[in-house]
């Protein structure tokens, strides 16, 4: 991983155009090709970024980041480099899920139709360069479906699944892959963001899936 602290100007062109005026920023260039531009405010979200896979051209005073098979280009003009270090992060270790998430994954892998449609499991822990997808499935039409499983789904869960989908869809054979976010509870803000990105949200009950309790009865007035 390369960490650059530099006074720079950033220009993005592609689906739209955007300019970050000259200022001191942190540039993160990951081994998987992801490039992130941060400043000292705004929380964890970068000001601009490019997801893997990318091609990075280092032209001395300019970093040019291109996304293959698209028109997306991130140009970073380096005015003054304050720090430039590279670290070997070693082999990636996946985030260990807690007991509930692990159990949900096992149950849904055995019965993916519990997600509300006819799905067939292809593989658990489908590896990508940006992390493992919990379940990779195919629907009744043979289209790919990526399923991310959480105990409680937050905005970060939506961002995580979005990163997976961006990577998966870079493969032309999986360009139409869609996403499902499954959780015991889904935060309203996460549901809104997911809907805006075409990600379907499903709330699941682990005890119900295991058959440990009966479904709640609904009374209908005559």
């Amino acid at each position: 991983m390369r960490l650059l602290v530099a006074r720079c100007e950033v220009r993005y062109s592609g689906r739209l155009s955007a300019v970050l005026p000259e200022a001191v920023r942190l540039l993160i260039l990951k081994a998987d090709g992801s490039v992130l531009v941060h400043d000292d405010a705004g929380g964890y979200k970068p000001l601009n970024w490019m997801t893997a896979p990318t091609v990075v051209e280092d032209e001395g005073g300019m970093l040019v980041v291109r996304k293959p098979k698209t028109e997306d280009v991130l140009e970073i003009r380096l005015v003054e480099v304050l720090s430039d270090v590279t670290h070997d992060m070693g082999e990636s270790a996946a985030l260990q899920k807690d007991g509930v998430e692990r159990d949900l994954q096992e149950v849904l892998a055995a019965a993916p139709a519990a997600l509300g449609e006819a799905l067939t499991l292809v593989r658990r822990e489908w590896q990508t360069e940006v992390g493992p997808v919990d379940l990779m499935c195919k629907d009744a039409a043979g289209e790919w479906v990526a399923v991310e499983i959480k105990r409680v789904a937050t905005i970060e869960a939506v961002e995580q699944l979005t990163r997976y989908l961006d990577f998966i869809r870079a493969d032309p054979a999986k360009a139409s892959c869609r996403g499902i976010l499954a959780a015991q509870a889904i935060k309203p803000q996460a549901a809104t963001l997911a809907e805006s990105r075409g990600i379907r949200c499903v709330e699941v009950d682990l005890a119900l899936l295991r058959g440990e309790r009966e479904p709640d009865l609904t009374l209908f007035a005559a």
Side-chain angles (χ1 to χ4, degrees):
M1 180 182 294
R2 184 182 180 188
L3 304 176
L4 260 167
V5 178
R7 179 172 293 280
C8 59
E9 177 188 75
V10 182
R11 292 181 176 270
Y12 166 79
S13 60
R15 290 163 291 180
L16 50 83
S17 297
V19 178
L20 292 174
E22 182 181 316
V24 175
R25 298 189 176 88
L26 168 64
L27 311 176
I28 302 176
L29 291 82
K30 295 187 177 182
D32 67 1
S34 302
V35 178
L36 303 95
V37 181
H38 284 272
D39 67 4
D40 207 16
Y44 66 90
K45 294 193 67 174
L47 297 172
N48 213 327
W49 67 93
M50 194 82 85
T51 57
T54 63
V55 176
V56 180
E57 302 168 3
D58 190 342
E59 302 175 357
M62 177 81 77
L63 294 176
V64 181
V65 186
R66 304 181 190 277
K67 198 166 184 65
K69 301 178 182 178
T70 74
E71 297 179 354
D72 293 347
V73 178
L74 196 64
E75 296 181 326
I76 306 171
R77 183 173 64 87
L78 303 174
V79 178
E80 179 184 8
V81 176
L82 305 177
S83 175
D84 186 354
V85 295
T86 302
H87 297 280
D88 182 355
M89 305 294 287
E91 187 175 347
S92 177
L95 177 68
Q96 296 295 313
K97 291 184 173 291
D98 66 25
V100 172
E101 290 184 18
R102 186 169 54 251
D103 292 346
L104 275 173
Q105 186 185 104
E106 290 176 355
V107 172
L108 290 172
L115 293 169
E117 60 179 291
L119 296 175
T120 302
L121 178 68
V122 176
R123 188 182 303 167
R124 287 177 60 184
E125 299 291 337
W126 178 287
Q127 293 296 327
T128 77
E129 292 185 16
V130 291
V133 179
D134 287 332
L135 305 179
M136 274 295 280
C137 303
K138 284 193 173 183
D139 62 18
E143 297 292 339
W144 290 94
V145 181
V147 181
E148 180 63 23
I149 300 168
K150 298 294 184 186
R151 182 174 62 83
V152 178
T154 62
I155 286 176
E156 176 54 36
V158 180
E159 298 287 4
Q160 182 181 353
L161 182 51
T162 300
R163 290 193 294 272
Y164 293 159
L165 290 170
D166 284 344
F167 181 85
I168 294 166
R169 289 167 178 165
D171 178 354
K174 300 181 180 68
S176 61
C177 181
R178 57 191 175 89
I180 296 177
L181 180 60
Q184 291 210 127
I186 299 174
K187 296 291 187 181
Q189 302 95 327
T192 300
L193 180 60
E195 182 181 0
S196 73
R197 296 183 179 180
I199 295 172
R200 188 163 70 85
C201 292
V202 181
E203 287 195 343
V204 292
D205 186 321
L206 181 57
L208 191 62
L209 291 173
R210 285 173 165 171
E212 295 173 353
R213 73 174 184 82
E214 295 296 322
D216 294 333
L217 297 177
T218 302
L219 298 178
F220 294 92

